[in-house]
């Protein structure tokens, strides 16, 4: 399949919307990307117009995303680009939405630090009588 893979650098614009679905965990959030460029006429860095994307995550990525990311944090998002166009409404307005099916999401370490914690997966679910050791 010829998917369009993209990598975006920007900021989390909305709270993570996490849901348990019959197909497994799912999470989504809006992601703001504002390009910066050097304006030679003004001799200064200038912000371009902000683009917003809906980022979707599934399964383990959704769970880890919901437990790790907050509004305003800088992220790097990698995944498949999907552009969806709805038919014109009664007034002739078209609606175009850009969505990313994320395959990887991480904090942008150019803008801060992060402490990584590996998720330990178990083959058997814990029973109520078992104790869990915190390391």
């Amino acid at each position: 399949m010829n998917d369009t893979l993209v990598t975006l650098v920007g900021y989390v614009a909305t709270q993570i919307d996490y849901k348990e679905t019959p197909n497994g965990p799912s999470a989504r959030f809006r992601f703001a990307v504002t390009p910066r460029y050097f304006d030679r006429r003004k001799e200064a860095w200038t912000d371009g117009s902000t683009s917003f994307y809906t980022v979707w995550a599934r399964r383990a990525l959704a769970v880890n995303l919901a437990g790790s990311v907050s509004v305003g944090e800088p992220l790097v998002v990698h995944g498949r680009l999907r552009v969806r166009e709805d038919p014109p409404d009664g007034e002739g307005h078209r609606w175009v939405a850009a969505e990313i099916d994320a395959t990887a999401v991480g904090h942008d370490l150019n803008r801060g630090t992060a402490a990584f914690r590996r998720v330990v997966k178990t083959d058997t679910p814990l029973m109520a009588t078992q104790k869990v050791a915190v390391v």
Side-chain angles (χ1 to χ4, degrees):
M1 189 177 339
N2 293 327
D3 290 332
T4 302
L5 297 176
V6 295
T7 301
L8 302 171
V9 178
Y11 292 89
V12 179
T14 62
Q15 290 286 347
I16 307 300
D17 180 20
Y18 176 82
K19 291 184 178 154
E20 290 285 341
T21 69
N23 295 328
S26 176
R28 71 179 170 126
F29 65 97
R30 296 287 286 164
F31 192 59
V33 177
T34 305
R36 288 184 59 82
Y37 63 94
F38 189 77
D39 188 337
R40 293 180 191 256
R41 287 181 285 144
K42 296 179 182 175
E43 292 291 318
W45 286 95
T46 305
D47 287 340
S49 60
T50 301
S51 297
F52 289 90
Y53 301 86
T54 299
V55 177
W56 290 91
R58 309 272 192 288
R59 295 177 285 287
L61 180 57
V63 173
N64 295 339
L65 186 71
S68 304
V69 174
S70 300
V71 173
E73 293 182 347
L75 296 180
V76 178
V77 173
H78 180 77
R80 291 174 199 84
L81 174 66
R82 290 185 302 149
V83 177
R84 187 172 40 87
E85 185 174 347
D86 291 338
D89 62 10
E91 299 175 11
H93 297 111
R94 288 183 19 198
W95 180 260
V96 178
E99 299 180 342
I100 308 297
D101 285 327
T103 56
V105 176
H107 284 99
D108 183 355
L109 298 181
N110 276 320
R111 295 179 170 88
T113 62
F116 180 77
R117 291 181 311 275
R118 185 176 303 275
V119 174
V120 179
K121 295 181 181 180
T122 60
D123 290 337
T124 58
L126 293 175
M127 296 169 59
T129 59
Q130 290 179 315
K131 298 207 184 228
V132 178
V134 178
V135 181

